[in-house]
Amino acid sequence: MARRQIYMDHNATTPLHPEVKKALREGMELYGNPSSLHSFGRKARHMIEESRGKVASFINADPEEVIFVGSGSEANNTVLSMLMCPSKVCSCGNADMAGREIITTSIEHPCIMRTSECLQDRGVPIKYLSVDQYGKIDFEELAGAITGRTGLVSVMMANNEIGTVQDIKETSRIVREKGVLFHTDAVQAAGKMPVDVRELDVDFLTLSGHKIYGPKGIGALYVRKGTPFCPLIRGGHQEQGRRAGTENTLGIVGMGKAVEARGKEMNTESKRHLQMKRALKEGLAGSIPDIRFNGHPTDSLANTLNMSFKGAEGEAILLYLDEAGVAVSTGSACASGSLDPSHVLIATGVPVEQAHGSIRVSLGRGNTMKDIDYLLEVFPPIIKKIRDMSSAYKRES
Amino acid sequence: MEKERNEWVYTEKVKDHFLNPRNILEDEQSYEDDGKGIVGNIKCGDRMMMVIKVDKDKNVITDCRWKTYGCASAIASTSALSEMVIGMPLEEAYHISPKDVTAQLGGLPEHKIHCSVLGDKALRAAINDYYQRNGMPEKVQKEEARIICQCMNVTDHEIEDAVLDGARNYYELQERTKLGTVCGQCKDEAIELLEKYKKKHFGEA
């Protein structure tokens, strides 16, 4: 068996697209401060605005509605933190956002969960929507949760761990009908499925560069024209005063190129990934007993497959797969250094012991059906080996 | 840091024991053990079983087999422990601590120490089981928990677990166990135990 190196952890991060690499190499020559009036500065400014145009067109927004930030996490922190801004001088102060309630879900990314907890400590009430066994929110629960005190609703478009995709258009309709602002974290959805801010009708939307074959350390926040806003990072006129700090010119150039490439590749790639995912799912279901697939069977990212194995612990599976050359991730507590397994799996009702034994495979543009064949070859013996030494697995014989 | 050195979170010894585990209990049905211990709970992510055979004249462990449900460090530490105790007198084996096992493995990342503590507990349970079966109940050293915080009902065992789980000061101990959050009378004793367990498991003063 030839040893291979296969990366199947694209929801964690992606390699740079070859065109992004090329753009970055050229962009390295741009050292002028984009705020400077001389030709060096103007060149950098031009590149930034060109990228902003590309990101805007990628999500069907106007360029002035796109703010470049340091990461998806920063974008999400920016949106949520508006709820504790006491300032009357920024537009959120005028909108009387401070101290209003936030409604979010129990399966958001940690940057939403932790920020919510922190805001709660500072007096912002938070409500968490439950999800069903597939990770979908309930529209009736949402409608019932919104009150006169609600200032913002934040629901992620696609879940990073289980891949479940929410109906954001309907979610936004319910929220906006009640006159409440709506944010969606589209970090995992973008680049894997169409994201159109006009069609979705959202007020805020979060994007990240490194999940779509762009550089790390760059993200973007869509803010609908006329929506109340206050910056998280203050002290400069950059990004129309909405995000201070000299622009990450190179990161922005890379992100612009990344969305451009995604726009061309996304549709055919999704179809390919869906075929590969089906083959993997069927192959594993046929060769490994006591396997459980997590997430929604159809409303799910084409590249994401999450599964749990009875009697086998996730970190052990991950490290054996790593030895076989395959990189995946796990929702096991042991791998994260905490004692609690994935909050997403627990929220969808996966038993704790099975959440400890979960593995996420997330495909990317470089993966082929040959990789799936290889994984199908190495996976079953690994599970067998772990179960043979497991005190929590009895083989049916 | 360690990752950068050898591209693995764990030492080469941990890796070796994880990839090539020794002394797995392969045929549970036909293995005639002299003592058996099961500890842990799969809900917490760890469950270990250890069985031993004993030379009854010499009081020496002649064989040790195991099964474990857990992460790489749990698997590696059980495997390493099983190698350590074969040929060892019962008395000596009884007093092996997680620190001894960790040393045998060349160290573990601090947040993984708690994954390795079940092995020696399972071994002690197996030895106690042997004593019980062979009419030596007086040798069984009961590890009875002592309540330190009366208000929140926190025992010395829980304090030890919290230290293994990463608590390094009184505040972190409180965060994990909620001890001393009502009347606060147990603070001095809790700090004393905190220092004791830090020293026992991590050699810190």
Side-chain angles (χ1 to χ4, degrees):
Chain A
M1 189 158 60
R3 189 184 154 97
R4 305 163 63 119
Q5 285 292 324
I6 300 171
Y7 185 76
M8 289 193 177
D9 197 13
H10 293 82
N11 287 9
T13 194
T14 54
L16 292 173
H17 191 287
E19 283 181 31
V20 171
K21 282 188 197 171
K22 195 166 153 253
L24 288 178
R25 266 183 228 114
E26 288 162 10
M28 279 162 72
E29 303 305 323
L30 291 167
Y31 61 88
N33 188 320
S35 298
S36 300
L37 288 175
H38 46 61
S39 65
F40 295 85
R42 290 199 307 270
K43 262 186 212 160
R45 167 62 49 208
H46 174 76
M47 294 304 285
I48 287 178
E49 295 315 320
E50 196 175 82
S51 281
R52 195 188 310 281
K54 286 175 184 170
V55 172
S57 98
F58 183 61
I59 56 171
N60 195 22
D62 286 341
E64 61 267 35
E65 294 175 311
V66 173
I67 307 170
F68 286 113
V69 294
S71 62
S73 292
E74 186 192 318
N76 288 343
N77 270 265
T78 304
V79 174
L80 262 57
S81 297
M82 291 188 351
L83 278 289
M84 44 157 273
C85 174
S87 171
K88 290 287 172 201
V89 295
C90 59
S91 61
C92 71
N94 292 332
D96 193 24
M97 297 277 283
R100 282 176 175 267
E101 166 195 79
I102 296 176
I103 298 175
T104 185
T105 79
S106 46
I107 60 165
E108 298 295 311
H109 187 273
C111 68
I112 294 276
M113 303 301 269
R114 293 292 93 78
T115 307
S116 297
E117 284 164 19
C118 174
L119 290 174
Q120 193 156 28
D121 287 345
R122 300 186 197 182
V124 179
I126 314 277
K127 275 185 196 150
Y128 297 94
L129 300 173
S130 64
V131 293
D132 66 13
Q133 58 174 320
Y134 303 118
K136 287 271 207 177
I137 61 162
D138 182 273
F139 293 131
E140 273 182 35
E141 187 190 352
L142 169 65
I146 300 171
T147 68
R149 283 202 70 191
T150 310
L152 177 82
V153 175
S154 178
V155 175
M156 74 193 329
M157 191 162 175
N159 183 268
N160 49 315
E161 292 187 34
I162 54 177
T164 298
V165 175
Q166 307 289 344
D167 184 346
I168 290 302
K169 201 174 161 183
E170 178 61 11
T171 310
S172 178
R173 193 190 63 74
I174 294 166
V175 175
R176 288 180 43 79
E177 210 167 50
K178 305 214 176 190
V180 172
L181 292 173
F182 181 67
H183 165 249
T184 188
D185 173 358
V187 163
Q188 289 295 341
K192 298 177 185 126
M193 58 186 286
V195 173
D196 181 324
V197 293
R198 299 275 174 260
E199 198 202 331
L200 297 173
D201 199 25
V202 297
D203 298 299
F204 305 102
L205 184 139
T206 296
L207 298 173
S208 167
H210 76 104
K211 307 283 190 192
I212 52 173
Y213 307 92
K216 293 163 180 64
I218 186 73
L221 175 62
Y222 161 80
V223 182
R224 185 205 296 260
K225 228 175 276 172
T227 303
F229 183 82
C230 82
L232 181 69
I233 298 178
R234 300 160 208 272
H237 55 83
Q238 293 90 355
E239 301 295 297
Q240 304 167 57
R242 296 180 295 185
R243 203 276 188 178
T246 299
E247 295 89 337
N248 174 3
T249 311
L250 202 53
I252 292 171
V253 165
M255 185 157 179
K257 192 48 94 175
V259 295
E260 191 179 70
R262 278 289 81 193
K264 290 179 203 155
E265 295 174 359
M266 191 171 70
N267 288 344
T268 46
E269 186 186 275
S270 290
K271 282 179 198 143
R272 205 168 62 84
H273 281 167
L274 202 56
Q275 282 181 338
M276 289 161 66
K277 179 163 101 167
R278 277 197 194 125
L280 179 61
K281 190 174 173 181
E282 280 164 23
L284 291 176
S287 58
I288 300 176
D290 295 316
I291 181 172
R292 158 192 183 125
F293 296 97
N294 305 312
H296 200 282
T298 51
D299 293 344
S300 172
L301 293 173
N303 81 320
T304 309
L305 184 63
N306 189 305
M307 55 217 145
S308 301
F309 302 89
K310 215 180 253 180
E313 194 276 335
E315 193 218 47
I317 304 172
L318 182 151
L319 289 172
Y320 272 121
L321 282 171
D322 185 43
E323 268 305 291
V326 184
V328 298
S329 77
T330 172
S332 149
C334 255
S336 70
S338 76
L339 287 178
D340 302 315
S342 154
H343 69 287
V344 176
L345 293 176
I346 298 301
T348 59
V350 174
V352 179
E353 56 270 34
Q354 290 214 33
H356 281 298
S358 70
I359 289 291
R360 176 189 70 188
V361 172
S362 49
L363 306 171
R365 59 189 297 278
N367 293 132
T368 63
M369 201 56 108
K370 272 189 180 164
D371 298 337
I372 300 292
D373 292 341
Y374 177 75
L375 187 54
L376 284 171
E377 198 177 320
V378 298
F379 216 141
I382 285 174
I383 296 297
K384 187 182 178 305
K385 179 170 181 176
I386 294 174
R387 282 176 173 170
D388 280 348
M389 64 173 124
S390 171
S391 56
Y393 189 75
K394 290 260 185 299
R395 192 170 300 278
E396 308 298 331
S397 55
Chain B
M1 294 295 133
E2 284 151 47
K3 219 171 200 169
E4 283 164 16
R5 260 201 323 265
N6 60 14
E7 299 188 337
W8 239 67
V9 203
Y10 299 116
T11 64
E12 286 300 313
K13 273 190 180 166
V14 175
K15 188 175 173 180
D16 181 36
H17 275 283
F18 170 62
L19 295 176
N20 311 296
R22 316 341 177 213
N23 305 317
I24 295 171
L25 177 58
E26 271 158 15
D27 193 354
E28 209 179 319
Q29 305 304 324
S30 62
Y31 189 88
E32 291 176 13
D33 59 79
D34 295 321
K36 182 184 208 168
I38 300 175
V39 294
N41 183 332
I42 49 171
K43 287 213 159 88
C44 306
D46 280 313
R47 185 173 184 270
M48 284 183 196
M49 170 168 70
M50 279 215 144
V51 292
I52 51 170
K53 282 189 183 181
V54 178
D55 179 328
K56 289 175 188 172
D57 299 325
K58 293 181 185 155
N59 270 332
V60 164
I61 295 174
T62 56
D63 195 24
C64 175
R65 305 272 153 173
W66 57 271
K67 273 197 164 185
T68 197
Y69 168 82
C71 62
S73 61
I75 290 168
S77 52
T78 327
S79 169
L81 176 64
S82 72
E83 273 198 338
M84 284 165 75
V85 301
I86 294 174
M88 192 182 266
L90 281 173
E91 279 296 317
E92 194 183 328
Y94 200 93
H95 291 102
I96 286 179
S97 78
K99 206 171 147 189
D100 301 327
V101 182
T102 312
Q104 182 77 11
L105 288 168
L108 279 174
E110 193 163 300
H111 71 279
K112 306 294 291 188
I113 300 275
H114 73 260
C115 307
S116 70
V117 301
L118 285 183
D120 65 295
K121 276 191 189 166
L123 177 67
R124 272 197 298 282
I127 296 173
N128 281 340
D129 183 40
Y130 168 78
Y131 286 148
Q132 291 283 9
R133 283 195 221 173
N134 291 277
M136 295 176 271
E138 74 284 355
K139 288 215 170 195
V140 175
Q141 296 177 26
K142 285 230 172 68
E143 295 181 52
E144 264 168 29
R146 191 161 58 90
I147 291 173
I148 305 300
C149 170
Q150 308 290 344
C151 305
M152 298 301 288
N153 202 21
V154 181
T155 67
D156 53 348
H157 286 190
E158 285 166 280
I159 294 174
E160 184 167 12
D161 285 345
V163 170
L164 287 165
D165 186 29
R168 288 294 172 275
N169 54 46
Y170 185 62
Y171 174 74
E172 289 170 355
L173 188 62
Q174 281 190 310
E175 224 182 9
R176 283 173 171 79
T177 63
K178 309 287 174 244
L179 73 76
T181 52
V182 184
C183 78
Q185 273 191 4
C186 61
K187 186 175 176 182
D188 290 347
E189 192 173 8
I191 289 174
E192 212 170 279
L193 286 167
L194 172 80
E195 296 308 322
K196 177 183 146 189
Y197 293 129
K198 266 161 70 180
K199 203 169 179 185
K200 176 177 168 192
H201 295 295
F202 303 101
E204 297 169 18

